[in-house]
Amino acid sequence: MSMKLVLVLGSACLVSACATTDDPREGGFVSGVQGLSSGTYERRVRDREDNLARLRAVQEDLKQETTGLDAQKQQRQKLLDEEQRKLASLNKDVKALEKKLAALSKEQGTSDKRVAELDKRLRELKGQLSKQGSALDALEGGGVGSADALEGSGAGVDTRRQQLEAQRLALQKEYEELLNLTLMLAQ
């Protein structure tokens, strides 16, 4: 009986040694020899190297895209900062005009229709400037925060900023008209 047991165990070992696989981590000695002689292992290595090269190329493309998006973000932020600076300057000018109008109102009297009209237009201008400032603040908070936000809404941010710039120019024109009217009344 011991001979039979040795034959059965020997047969089991021989069969398990003959089982082959392409994965060198799973196979035994026979699989290793077969993988080396057939070139299967070299193909696996080449496939993995090719896959790694493709992944590195994708990573480089993504890096370049991120750099481009960051540059766009900086440019938009620069334009937005310039627009906010111009709006702050206009607000400062409007406050100075408001002081001139107050002095003119004291000088000419509050009953003068022209002074009252200028005061009304000045208040409207201040309200529009306030809305303009809020819109610019909202644009800064929501439009240029991250690369993902830029990518998704880049054209919308530029369009909105251009609209706000046009509105600021219209407000600047209104301010200049009010200033001229104030100067004419002061004469």
Side-chain angles (χ1 to χ4, degrees):
M1 184 159 194
S2 69
M3 186 60 131
K4 285 184 181 180
L5 183 62
V6 169
L7 281 174
V8 170
L9 287 175
S11 297
C13 287
L14 187 60
V15 169
S16 68
C18 291
T20 61
T21 178
D22 287 344
D23 191 350
R25 293 174 293 175
E26 295 176 0
F29 176 74
V30 173
S31 291
V33 171
Q34 183 183 4
L36 287 172
S37 65
S38 68
T40 304
Y41 291 166
E42 286 83 16
R43 270 194 309 274
R44 284 175 52 95
V45 168
R46 271 194 317 270
D47 289 346
R48 288 185 177 198
E49 286 173 347
D50 291 345
N51 192 29
L52 180 61
R54 282 191 301 273
L55 288 174
R56 285 185 176 155
V58 167
Q59 183 181 21
E60 184 61 32
D61 290 345
L62 289 173
K63 213 183 265 188
Q64 289 175 357
E65 185 176 347
T66 299
T67 302
L69 288 173
D70 286 343
Q72 277 183 334
K73 177 183 175 182
Q74 288 175 353
Q75 180 64 24
R76 286 182 179 143
Q77 187 63 46
K78 182 180 171 184
L79 291 171
L80 189 60
D81 290 345
E82 178 65 19
E83 195 60 29
Q84 286 177 330
R85 186 192 61 73
K86 289 177 181 176
L87 186 63
S89 175
L90 185 57
N91 272 324
K92 182 180 170 186
D93 292 344
V94 166
K95 286 181 182 180
L97 180 60
E98 189 175 34
K99 287 180 183 178
K100 285 181 186 177
L101 186 59
L104 185 61
S105 180
K106 280 183 182 179
E107 185 180 299
Q108 302 236 343
T110 56
S111 62
D112 191 347
K113 275 184 159 180
R114 297 175 298 176
V115 173
E117 178 62 28
L118 282 175
D119 187 47
K120 178 183 171 197
R121 285 180 66 183
L122 187 59
R123 279 184 275 135
E124 289 172 359
L125 180 63
K126 284 176 60 179
Q128 290 172 345
L129 285 172
S130 176
K131 287 179 189 177
Q132 181 85 2
S134 297
L136 281 173
D137 289 343
L139 186 61
E140 182 177 35
V144 293
S146 69
D148 293 337
L150 276 176
E151 185 175 19
S153 64
V157 170
D158 281 342
T159 302
R160 182 65 180 140
R161 185 194 50 76
Q162 289 170 350
Q163 289 172 345
L164 291 172
E165 186 175 357
Q167 288 174 355
R168 183 196 45 81
L169 290 172
L171 292 173
Q172 178 78 34
K173 186 177 178 182
E174 177 72 14
Y175 162 75
E176 289 168 0
E177 288 175 12
L178 285 173
L179 181 61
N180 288 335
L181 287 172
T182 304
L183 293 175
M184 285 188 330
L185 278 176
Q187 292 176 354

